[in-house]
Amino acid sequence: MKRLLLFGLIMVVGCHRYARPDAPAPTSELPPMVRIPSGRFVMGDRNGEPEEYPEHELRMDAFAIDRFEVSRRSYRSCVQAKACDSARDDGALDAPVVGISWFDAQAYCEWIGRRLPTEAEWEYAAKGSDLRKWPWAGVFDATKANTRDGDDYEGAAPIDAFEAGASPFGVRNLAGNVAEWVADYFDPVIYRTRDSILHPQGPEKGRERVVRGGSFRDGAHLVRVASRQPRIPTEVDDTVGFRCASD
């Protein structure tokens, strides 16, 4: 019985906490960031899914977010420093890292002195202060994102691909390529119960975390900037990566 209990705990907690807490700080050049100015924006989509409703205006302080998704090359340096656990390690080094849990993503961001973005930060960086549905203005355009709707890539594209699909602030691949872990727990009714409109944080507890942006396997609807998807934080998938943020 004790052996079965121990095995069950390993399965629940996962095998992602073996990285050294005293790992040396990164010595290579850090991934570039984009400064997102303070401002107002409308979060959600009244024509989207129930968990995206109601639309509500938020006031955001300035922050910074990675211009690109974290690459396999950048994440590998964290693994080599023993600050991060290993991830899927095949494919081009300039492709986004995938096969990592929420805890892996958090560990990497902390290692380089950053953090995961909140849902509100991620969506503001993706849409700016207008009501666009994708990082670019106007209708869905399959040439501006790596989705299942047709492009030159069978899987994930390089992190600096699709410049024409950048957000109003110049952040790349916030629609498609790989979905991205964010800091928040998933709460399907948070937009109806939120008590602060000033740079809000996510729920204090929950079972699942949020991924944003959709992936190369998704169509136009799931790569909208308001789309929210729940994932178990120990889950790993070849369509999910991340990017970091900072105050």
Side-chain angles (χ1 to χ4, degrees), residues 23-85:
T27 56
S28 58
E29 183 178 350
L30 296 179
M33 302 192 86
V34 174
R35 183 182 184 276
I36 310 298
S38 61
R40 297 172 179 264
F41 87 107
V42 175
M43 190 172 188
D45 185 347
R46 63 185 177 187
N47 297 313
E49 300 298 327
E51 64 270 14
E52 302 165 22
Y53 180 85
E55 292 180 343
H56 53 294
E57 186 178 75
L58 299 178
R59 292 186 298 157
M60 302 296 291
D61 296 328
F63 64 98
I65 194 167
D66 288 355
R67 184 178 297 276
F68 309 116
E69 293 157 330
V70 174
S71 70
R72 288 184 56 245
R73 177 181 287 107
S74 295
Y75 190 83
R76 179 182 284 185
S77 66
C78 186
V79 174
Q80 291 171 342
K82 295 183 172 57
C84 296
D85 291 308

Short mmCIF file of all heavy atoms in Angstrom, two decimals, residues 23-85:
data_model
loop_
_atom_site.label_atom_id
_atom_site.label_comp_id
_atom_site.label_asym_id
_atom_site.label_seq_id
_atom_site.Cartn_x
_atom_site.Cartn_y
_atom_site.Cartn_z
N ALA A 23 20.91 26.83 -9.02
CA ALA A 23 21.57 26.81 -10.32
C ALA A 23 22.14 28.18 -10.65
O ALA A 23 21.57 29.21 -10.28
CB ALA A 23 20.58 26.38 -11.41
N PRO A 24 23.28 28.23 -11.34
CA PRO A 24 23.89 29.53 -11.67
C PRO A 24 23.02 30.34 -12.60
O PRO A 24 22.27 29.81 -13.41
CB PRO A 24 25.20 29.12 -12.35
CG PRO A 24 24.95 27.74 -12.87
CD PRO A 24 24.04 27.09 -11.86
N ALA A 25 23.10 31.66 -12.47
CA ALA A 25 22.33 32.57 -13.31
C ALA A 25 22.80 32.47 -14.76
O ALA A 25 23.94 32.06 -15.04
CB ALA A 25 22.50 34.00 -12.81
N PRO A 26 21.95 32.81 -15.72
CA PRO A 26 22.34 32.73 -17.12
C PRO A 26 23.47 33.70 -17.44
O PRO A 26 23.52 34.81 -16.90
CB PRO A 26 21.06 33.10 -17.88
CG PRO A 26 20.25 33.88 -16.89
CD PRO A 26 20.57 33.28 -15.56
N THR A 27 24.36 33.27 -18.31
CA THR A 27 25.49 34.12 -18.71
C THR A 27 25.36 34.60 -20.14
O THR A 27 26.04 35.54 -20.54
CB THR A 27 26.82 33.34 -18.56
OG1 THR A 27 26.74 32.14 -19.34
CG2 THR A 27 27.07 32.98 -17.11
N SER A 28 24.51 33.97 -20.94
CA SER A 28 24.34 34.38 -22.33
C SER A 28 23.36 35.54 -22.42
O SER A 28 22.68 35.89 -21.45
CB SER A 28 23.84 33.19 -23.16
OG SER A 28 22.62 32.71 -22.64
N GLU A 29 23.27 36.14 -23.61
CA GLU A 29 22.36 37.26 -23.83
C GLU A 29 20.92 36.80 -23.64
O GLU A 29 20.51 35.76 -24.16
CB GLU A 29 22.57 37.81 -25.24
CG GLU A 29 21.72 39.02 -25.56
CD GLU A 29 22.00 39.57 -26.94
OE1 GLU A 29 22.98 39.12 -27.56
OE2 GLU A 29 21.24 40.43 -27.39
N LEU A 30 20.15 37.60 -22.94
CA LEU A 30 18.77 37.22 -22.67
C LEU A 30 17.87 37.53 -23.86
O LEU A 30 18.14 38.44 -24.63
CB LEU A 30 18.25 37.98 -21.44
CG LEU A 30 18.96 37.67 -20.11
CD1 LEU A 30 18.36 38.50 -18.99
CD2 LEU A 30 18.86 36.19 -19.78
N PRO A 31 16.78 36.76 -24.02
CA PRO A 31 15.86 37.01 -25.12
C PRO A 31 15.31 38.43 -25.07
O PRO A 31 15.07 38.98 -23.99
CB PRO A 31 14.76 35.98 -24.90
CG PRO A 31 15.41 34.88 -24.11
CD PRO A 31 16.39 35.59 -23.22
N PRO A 32 15.10 39.06 -26.24
CA PRO A 32 14.63 40.45 -26.26
C PRO A 32 13.20 40.59 -25.77
O PRO A 32 12.37 39.70 -25.96
CB PRO A 32 14.74 40.83 -27.75
CG PRO A 32 14.60 39.53 -28.47
CD PRO A 32 15.29 38.52 -27.60
N MET A 33 12.93 41.73 -25.16
CA MET A 33 11.59 42.01 -24.65
C MET A 33 11.03 43.26 -25.34
O MET A 33 11.76 44.05 -25.93
CB MET A 33 11.61 42.23 -23.14
CG MET A 33 12.17 41.05 -22.35
SD MET A 33 11.84 41.20 -20.57
CE MET A 33 10.20 40.47 -20.48
N VAL A 34 9.72 43.41 -25.23
CA VAL A 34 9.02 44.59 -25.73
C VAL A 34 8.36 45.28 -24.54
O VAL A 34 7.71 44.62 -23.72
CB VAL A 34 7.94 44.20 -26.76
CG1 VAL A 34 7.12 45.42 -27.17
CG2 VAL A 34 8.57 43.54 -27.98
N ARG A 35 8.53 46.58 -24.44
CA ARG A 35 7.87 47.33 -23.36
C ARG A 35 6.45 47.63 -23.79
O ARG A 35 6.20 48.22 -24.84
CB ARG A 35 8.61 48.62 -23.04
CG ARG A 35 8.00 49.39 -21.88
CD ARG A 35 8.73 50.70 -21.61
NE ARG A 35 8.19 51.37 -20.44
CZ ARG A 35 7.11 52.17 -20.44
NH1 ARG A 35 6.45 52.36 -21.58
NH2 ARG A 35 6.70 52.75 -19.33
N ILE A 36 5.50 47.22 -22.97
CA ILE A 36 4.09 47.49 -23.23
C ILE A 36 3.68 48.68 -22.36
O ILE A 36 3.77 48.60 -21.13
CB ILE A 36 3.22 46.26 -22.90
CG1 ILE A 36 3.78 44.99 -23.56
CG2 ILE A 36 1.78 46.53 -23.31
CD1 ILE A 36 3.81 45.03 -25.07
N PRO A 37 3.26 49.79 -22.95
CA PRO A 37 2.95 50.98 -22.14
C PRO A 37 1.67 50.81 -21.34
O PRO A 37 0.83 49.96 -21.63
CB PRO A 37 2.78 52.07 -23.21
CG PRO A 37 2.30 51.33 -24.41
CD PRO A 37 3.02 50.00 -24.39
N SER A 38 1.52 51.64 -20.33
CA SER A 38 0.27 51.63 -19.57
C SER A 38 -0.87 52.06 -20.48
O SER A 38 -0.67 52.76 -21.48
CB SER A 38 0.38 52.57 -18.37
OG SER A 38 0.62 53.90 -18.81
N GLY A 39 -2.07 51.63 -20.17
CA GLY A 39 -3.20 51.99 -21.00
C GLY A 39 -4.45 51.23 -20.59
O GLY A 39 -4.48 50.53 -19.58
N ARG A 40 -5.48 51.37 -21.39
CA ARG A 40 -6.75 50.70 -21.17
C ARG A 40 -7.02 49.76 -22.33
O ARG A 40 -6.64 50.05 -23.47
CB ARG A 40 -7.89 51.71 -21.06
CG ARG A 40 -7.79 52.65 -19.87
CD ARG A 40 -8.87 53.73 -19.96
NE ARG A 40 -8.82 54.66 -18.84
CZ ARG A 40 -9.57 54.56 -17.75
NH1 ARG A 40 -10.46 53.58 -17.64
NH2 ARG A 40 -9.46 55.44 -16.78
N PHE A 41 -7.69 48.65 -22.05
CA PHE A 41 -8.12 47.78 -23.14
C PHE A 41 -9.33 46.99 -22.68
O PHE A 41 -9.62 46.89 -21.48
CB PHE A 41 -6.99 46.87 -23.59
CG PHE A 41 -6.85 45.58 -22.83
CD1 PHE A 41 -7.23 44.36 -23.39
CD2 PHE A 41 -6.33 45.56 -21.54
CE1 PHE A 41 -7.11 43.17 -22.70
CE2 PHE A 41 -6.19 44.37 -20.83
CZ PHE A 41 -6.59 43.17 -21.42
N VAL A 42 -10.05 46.46 -23.65
CA VAL A 42 -11.23 45.65 -23.36
C VAL A 42 -10.85 44.18 -23.45
O VAL A 42 -10.45 43.70 -24.51
CB VAL A 42 -12.38 45.97 -24.34
CG1 VAL A 42 -13.56 45.02 -24.10
CG2 VAL A 42 -12.82 47.42 -24.18
N MET A 43 -10.96 43.47 -22.35
CA MET A 43 -10.61 42.06 -22.28
C MET A 43 -11.86 41.22 -22.53
O MET A 43 -12.96 41.57 -22.09
CB MET A 43 -10.01 41.71 -20.93
CG MET A 43 -9.40 40.32 -20.84
SD MET A 43 -8.51 40.10 -19.28
CE MET A 43 -7.72 38.51 -19.57
N GLY A 44 -11.70 40.12 -23.26
CA GLY A 44 -12.81 39.23 -23.53
C GLY A 44 -13.37 39.42 -24.93
O GLY A 44 -12.89 40.24 -25.72
N ASP A 45 -14.38 38.64 -25.24
CA ASP A 45 -15.03 38.69 -26.56
C ASP A 45 -16.49 38.30 -26.38
O ASP A 45 -16.81 37.15 -26.10
CB ASP A 45 -14.33 37.71 -27.51
CG ASP A 45 -14.87 37.78 -28.93
OD1 ASP A 45 -15.92 38.40 -29.14
OD2 ASP A 45 -14.24 37.20 -29.84
N ARG A 46 -17.37 39.28 -26.54
CA ARG A 46 -18.79 39.01 -26.32
C ARG A 46 -19.37 38.07 -27.37
O ARG A 46 -20.46 37.52 -27.18
CB ARG A 46 -19.57 40.31 -26.29
CG ARG A 46 -19.55 41.10 -27.60
CD ARG A 46 -20.26 42.41 -27.42
NE ARG A 46 -20.20 43.24 -28.61
CZ ARG A 46 -20.64 44.49 -28.66
NH1 ARG A 46 -21.15 45.06 -27.57
NH2 ARG A 46 -20.55 45.19 -29.77
N ASN A 47 -18.66 37.89 -28.47
CA ASN A 47 -19.09 36.96 -29.51
C ASN A 47 -18.30 35.65 -29.47
O ASN A 47 -18.39 34.85 -30.40
CB ASN A 47 -18.94 37.60 -30.89
CG ASN A 47 -19.82 38.83 -31.04
OD1 ASN A 47 -21.00 38.79 -30.70
ND2 ASN A 47 -19.24 39.92 -31.54
N GLY A 48 -17.54 35.45 -28.40
CA GLY A 48 -16.72 34.25 -28.28
C GLY A 48 -17.38 33.17 -27.44
O GLY A 48 -18.60 33.02 -27.42
N GLU A 49 -16.56 32.44 -26.69
CA GLU A 49 -17.04 31.36 -25.85
C GLU A 49 -17.53 31.91 -24.50
O GLU A 49 -17.18 33.03 -24.12
CB GLU A 49 -15.93 30.33 -25.63
CG GLU A 49 -15.42 29.69 -26.90
CD GLU A 49 -16.49 28.90 -27.63
OE1 GLU A 49 -17.37 28.32 -26.95
OE2 GLU A 49 -16.46 28.88 -28.88
N PRO A 50 -18.33 31.13 -23.76
CA PRO A 50 -18.87 31.63 -22.48
C PRO A 50 -17.80 32.11 -21.50
O PRO A 50 -18.03 33.08 -20.76
CB PRO A 50 -19.63 30.42 -21.92
CG PRO A 50 -20.03 29.64 -23.14
CD PRO A 50 -18.89 29.81 -24.11
N GLU A 51 -16.64 31.46 -21.48
CA GLU A 51 -15.59 31.87 -20.54
C GLU A 51 -14.89 33.16 -20.95
O GLU A 51 -14.04 33.66 -20.22
CB GLU A 51 -14.56 30.75 -20.38
CG GLU A 51 -13.78 30.40 -21.63
CD GLU A 51 -14.45 29.32 -22.46
OE1 GLU A 51 -15.64 29.02 -22.21
OE2 GLU A 51 -13.77 28.75 -23.34
N GLU A 52 -15.25 33.71 -22.12
CA GLU A 52 -14.68 34.98 -22.59
C GLU A 52 -15.63 36.15 -22.36
O GLU A 52 -15.38 37.27 -22.83
CB GLU A 52 -14.35 34.88 -24.08
CG GLU A 52 -13.38 33.77 -24.43
CD GLU A 52 -13.37 33.46 -25.92
OE1 GLU A 52 -13.77 34.34 -26.71
OE2 GLU A 52 -12.98 32.34 -26.30
N TYR A 53 -16.71 35.90 -21.64
CA TYR A 53 -17.76 36.90 -21.47
C TYR A 53 -17.93 37.24 -19.99
O TYR A 53 -17.77 36.36 -19.15
CB TYR A 53 -19.09 36.34 -22.03
CG TYR A 53 -20.26 37.28 -21.92
CD1 TYR A 53 -20.49 38.23 -22.90
CD2 TYR A 53 -21.11 37.22 -20.82
CE1 TYR A 53 -21.56 39.11 -22.79
CE2 TYR A 53 -22.19 38.10 -20.70
CZ TYR A 53 -22.40 39.04 -21.69
OH TYR A 53 -23.44 39.91 -21.58
N PRO A 54 -18.25 38.47 -19.64
CA PRO A 54 -18.49 39.62 -20.53
C PRO A 54 -17.20 40.36 -20.87
O PRO A 54 -16.20 40.24 -20.17
CB PRO A 54 -19.40 40.51 -19.69
CG PRO A 54 -18.93 40.25 -18.28
CD PRO A 54 -18.56 38.79 -18.24
N GLU A 55 -17.24 41.12 -21.94
CA GLU A 55 -16.15 42.05 -22.20
C GLU A 55 -16.10 43.06 -21.05
O GLU A 55 -17.12 43.47 -20.53
CB GLU A 55 -16.38 42.79 -23.52
CG GLU A 55 -16.29 41.91 -24.75
CD GLU A 55 -16.54 42.69 -26.02
OE1 GLU A 55 -17.09 43.82 -25.96
OE2 GLU A 55 -16.18 42.18 -27.09
N HIS A 56 -14.88 43.44 -20.66
CA HIS A 56 -14.75 44.39 -19.56
C HIS A 56 -13.47 45.19 -19.74
O HIS A 56 -12.45 44.66 -20.16
CB HIS A 56 -14.76 43.68 -18.20
CG HIS A 56 -13.77 42.57 -18.07
ND1 HIS A 56 -13.82 41.40 -18.80
CD2 HIS A 56 -12.67 42.46 -17.27
CE1 HIS A 56 -12.81 40.62 -18.47
NE2 HIS A 56 -12.10 41.24 -17.56
N GLU A 57 -13.54 46.47 -19.45
CA GLU A 57 -12.38 47.34 -19.64
C GLU A 57 -11.46 47.27 -18.43
O GLU A 57 -11.90 47.31 -17.28
CB GLU A 57 -12.82 48.79 -19.86
CG GLU A 57 -11.65 49.70 -20.19
CD GLU A 57 -12.07 51.14 -20.45
OE1 GLU A 57 -12.39 51.84 -19.47
OE2 GLU A 57 -12.08 51.54 -21.63
N LEU A 58 -10.16 47.14 -18.72
CA LEU A 58 -9.14 47.09 -17.67
C LEU A 58 -8.15 48.23 -17.86
O LEU A 58 -7.92 48.69 -18.98
CB LEU A 58 -8.39 45.76 -17.72
CG LEU A 58 -9.20 44.49 -17.52
CD1 LEU A 58 -8.30 43.27 -17.64
CD2 LEU A 58 -9.91 44.50 -16.16
N ARG A 59 -7.57 48.65 -16.76
CA ARG A 59 -6.48 49.62 -16.79
C ARG A 59 -5.18 48.89 -16.48
O ARG A 59 -5.08 48.21 -15.45
CB ARG A 59 -6.72 50.75 -15.78
CG ARG A 59 -7.90 51.65 -16.13
CD ARG A 59 -7.99 52.82 -15.18
NE ARG A 59 -8.22 52.38 -13.81
CZ ARG A 59 -7.92 53.11 -12.73
NH1 ARG A 59 -7.35 54.28 -12.86
NH2 ARG A 59 -8.19 52.64 -11.52
N MET A 60 -4.20 49.05 -17.34
CA MET A 60 -2.96 48.29 -17.21
C MET A 60 -1.78 49.21 -16.94
O MET A 60 -1.62 50.26 -17.57
CB MET A 60 -2.71 47.50 -18.49
CG MET A 60 -3.82 46.54 -18.87
SD MET A 60 -4.06 45.21 -17.67
CE MET A 60 -2.55 44.26 -17.92
N ASP A 61 -0.94 48.80 -15.99
CA ASP A 61 0.36 49.45 -15.78
C ASP A 61 1.31 48.97 -16.87
O ASP A 61 1.09 47.94 -17.52
CB ASP A 61 0.93 49.09 -14.42
CG ASP A 61 0.07 49.59 -13.27
OD1 ASP A 61 -0.55 50.66 -13.43
OD2 ASP A 61 0.02 48.90 -12.23
N ALA A 62 2.39 49.70 -17.06
CA ALA A 62 3.40 49.29 -18.03
C ALA A 62 4.08 47.99 -17.56
O ALA A 62 4.24 47.77 -16.36
CB ALA A 62 4.44 50.39 -18.21
N PHE A 63 4.46 47.17 -18.50
CA PHE A 63 5.21 45.95 -18.20
C PHE A 63 5.99 45.58 -19.45
O PHE A 63 5.93 46.29 -20.47
CB PHE A 63 4.28 44.81 -17.77
CG PHE A 63 3.31 44.37 -18.85
CD1 PHE A 63 3.57 43.26 -19.64
CD2 PHE A 63 2.13 45.08 -19.06
CE1 PHE A 63 2.68 42.86 -20.63
CE2 PHE A 63 1.23 44.68 -20.04
CZ PHE A 63 1.51 43.58 -20.83
N ALA A 64 6.73 44.51 -19.40
CA ALA A 64 7.49 44.04 -20.56
C ALA A 64 7.17 42.58 -20.80
O ALA A 64 6.89 41.83 -19.87
CB ALA A 64 8.99 44.23 -20.35
N ILE A 65 7.23 42.18 -22.07
CA ILE A 65 6.96 40.80 -22.44
C ILE A 65 7.93 40.38 -23.53
O ILE A 65 8.40 41.23 -24.32
CB ILE A 65 5.50 40.63 -22.91
CG1 ILE A 65 5.09 39.15 -22.95
CG2 ILE A 65 5.26 41.32 -24.25
CD1 ILE A 65 3.60 38.92 -23.10
N ASP A 66 8.30 39.12 -23.56
CA ASP A 66 9.22 38.63 -24.58
C ASP A 66 8.66 38.89 -25.97
O ASP A 66 7.48 38.63 -26.24
CB ASP A 66 9.45 37.13 -24.43
CG ASP A 66 10.31 36.77 -23.23
OD1 ASP A 66 10.82 37.69 -22.56
OD2 ASP A 66 10.46 35.56 -22.96
N ARG A 67 9.50 39.39 -26.86
CA ARG A 67 9.07 39.61 -28.25
C ARG A 67 8.74 38.29 -28.93
O ARG A 67 7.82 38.20 -29.75
CB ARG A 67 10.15 40.34 -29.04
CG ARG A 67 9.73 40.68 -30.47
CD ARG A 67 10.81 41.44 -31.22
NE ARG A 67 11.11 42.72 -30.62
CZ ARG A 67 10.41 43.84 -30.85
NH1 ARG A 67 9.36 43.80 -31.66
NH2 ARG A 67 10.76 44.97 -30.28
N PHE A 68 9.48 37.24 -28.56
CA PHE A 68 9.31 35.93 -29.18
C PHE A 68 8.98 34.87 -28.13
O PHE A 68 9.27 35.04 -26.94
CB PHE A 68 10.58 35.51 -29.92
CG PHE A 68 11.12 36.54 -30.86
CD1 PHE A 68 12.36 37.12 -30.65
CD2 PHE A 68 10.39 36.93 -31.97
CE1 PHE A 68 12.87 38.06 -31.52
CE2 PHE A 68 10.88 37.88 -32.85
CZ PHE A 68 12.13 38.45 -32.62
N GLU A 69 8.43 33.76 -28.58
CA GLU A 69 8.29 32.60 -27.70
C GLU A 69 9.68 32.09 -27.33
O GLU A 69 10.65 32.28 -28.07
CB GLU A 69 7.52 31.51 -28.44
CG GLU A 69 6.07 31.88 -28.70
CD GLU A 69 5.43 31.13 -29.85
OE1 GLU A 69 6.14 30.76 -30.81
OE2 GLU A 69 4.21 30.93 -29.80
N VAL A 70 9.80 31.46 -26.17
CA VAL A 70 11.10 30.93 -25.74
C VAL A 70 11.52 29.81 -26.68
O VAL A 70 10.75 28.88 -26.95
CB VAL A 70 11.02 30.42 -24.29
CG1 VAL A 70 12.32 29.74 -23.88
CG2 VAL A 70 10.70 31.57 -23.35
N SER A 71 12.73 29.91 -27.19
CA SER A 71 13.22 28.94 -28.16
C SER A 71 13.83 27.71 -27.49
O SER A 71 14.15 27.72 -26.30
CB SER A 71 14.27 29.59 -29.06
OG SER A 71 15.46 29.85 -28.31
N ARG A 72 14.00 26.68 -28.29
CA ARG A 72 14.70 25.49 -27.80
C ARG A 72 16.12 25.85 -27.39
O ARG A 72 16.65 25.30 -26.41
CB ARG A 72 14.71 24.40 -28.86
CG ARG A 72 13.38 23.72 -29.09
CD ARG A 72 13.48 22.59 -30.10
NE ARG A 72 14.48 21.62 -29.68
CZ ARG A 72 15.61 21.37 -30.35
NH1 ARG A 72 15.89 22.01 -31.46
NH2 ARG A 72 16.46 20.47 -29.90
N ARG A 73 16.76 26.74 -28.13
CA ARG A 73 18.13 27.13 -27.80
C ARG A 73 18.19 27.78 -26.42
O ARG A 73 19.05 27.44 -25.59
CB ARG A 73 18.67 28.09 -28.85
CG ARG A 73 20.09 28.61 -28.54
CD ARG A 73 20.58 29.59 -29.59
NE ARG A 73 20.91 28.91 -30.84
CZ ARG A 73 20.17 28.98 -31.95
NH1 ARG A 73 19.03 29.69 -31.96
NH2 ARG A 73 20.54 28.34 -33.04
N SER A 74 17.28 28.71 -26.15
CA SER A 74 17.28 29.40 -24.85
C SER A 74 16.96 28.44 -23.72
O SER A 74 17.60 28.47 -22.66
CB SER A 74 16.27 30.54 -24.87
OG SER A 74 16.66 31.55 -25.79
N TYR A 75 15.98 27.58 -23.94
CA TYR A 75 15.60 26.65 -22.88
C TYR A 75 16.71 25.62 -22.63
O TYR A 75 16.94 25.23 -21.47
CB TYR A 75 14.30 25.93 -23.23
CG TYR A 75 13.73 25.13 -22.08
CD1 TYR A 75 12.96 25.74 -21.11
CD2 TYR A 75 13.99 23.77 -21.96
CE1 TYR A 75 12.46 25.02 -20.03
CE2 TYR A 75 13.50 23.04 -20.89
CZ TYR A 75 12.73 23.67 -19.93
OH TYR A 75 12.24 22.95 -18.87
N ARG A 76 17.40 25.22 -23.67
CA ARG A 76 18.49 24.25 -23.50
C ARG A 76 19.56 24.79 -22.56
O ARG A 76 20.14 24.05 -21.77
CB ARG A 76 19.11 23.91 -24.86
CG ARG A 76 20.27 22.93 -24.77
CD ARG A 76 20.88 22.65 -26.12
NE ARG A 76 20.05 21.75 -26.92
CZ ARG A 76 20.44 21.29 -28.11
NH1 ARG A 76 21.60 21.66 -28.64
NH2 ARG A 76 19.65 20.46 -28.77
N SER A 77 19.83 26.11 -22.62
CA SER A 77 20.84 26.68 -21.73
C SER A 77 20.41 26.56 -20.27
O SER A 77 21.24 26.39 -19.38
CB SER A 77 21.09 28.15 -22.09
OG SER A 77 19.93 28.94 -21.84
N CYS A 78 19.11 26.62 -20.03
CA CYS A 78 18.59 26.45 -18.67
C CYS A 78 18.76 25.00 -18.21
O CYS A 78 19.11 24.74 -17.05
CB CYS A 78 17.13 26.88 -18.63
SG CYS A 78 16.39 26.90 -16.99
N VAL A 79 18.51 24.06 -19.12
CA VAL A 79 18.70 22.65 -18.80
C VAL A 79 20.17 22.37 -18.50
O VAL A 79 20.51 21.67 -17.54
CB VAL A 79 18.20 21.76 -19.96
CG1 VAL A 79 18.53 20.30 -19.70
CG2 VAL A 79 16.70 21.94 -20.16
N GLN A 80 21.07 22.93 -19.32
CA GLN A 80 22.50 22.70 -19.13
C GLN A 80 23.00 23.28 -17.80
O GLN A 80 23.93 22.75 -17.20
CB GLN A 80 23.27 23.31 -20.30
CG GLN A 80 23.05 22.57 -21.60
CD GLN A 80 23.62 23.29 -22.81
OE1 GLN A 80 23.90 24.49 -22.76
NE2 GLN A 80 23.81 22.56 -23.90
N ALA A 81 22.35 24.35 -17.35
CA ALA A 81 22.70 24.93 -16.04
C ALA A 81 22.05 24.19 -14.89
O ALA A 81 22.28 24.52 -13.73
CB ALA A 81 22.28 26.40 -16.02
N LYS A 82 21.24 23.18 -15.24
CA LYS A 82 20.50 22.39 -14.26
C LYS A 82 19.50 23.23 -13.47
O LYS A 82 19.13 22.91 -12.34
CB LYS A 82 21.45 21.65 -13.31
CG LYS A 82 22.30 20.60 -14.00
CD LYS A 82 23.17 19.84 -13.02
CE LYS A 82 23.86 18.66 -13.68
NZ LYS A 82 24.69 19.03 -14.85
N ALA A 83 19.03 24.31 -14.10
CA ALA A 83 17.97 25.12 -13.52
C ALA A 83 16.60 24.69 -14.02
O ALA A 83 15.59 25.03 -13.43
CB ALA A 83 18.19 26.59 -13.83
N CYS A 84 16.57 23.96 -15.13
CA CYS A 84 15.32 23.48 -15.73
C CYS A 84 15.44 21.99 -16.01
O CYS A 84 16.54 21.49 -16.27
CB CYS A 84 15.03 24.21 -17.04
SG CYS A 84 14.75 25.97 -16.90
N ASP A 85 14.32 21.32 -16.00
CA ASP A 85 14.28 19.93 -16.39
C ASP A 85 14.19 19.84 -17.91
O ASP A 85 13.79 20.79 -18.59
CB ASP A 85 13.10 19.23 -15.75
CG ASP A 85 13.30 19.09 -14.25
OD1 ASP A 85 14.34 18.59 -13.82
OD2 ASP A 85 12.40 19.53 -13.49
#
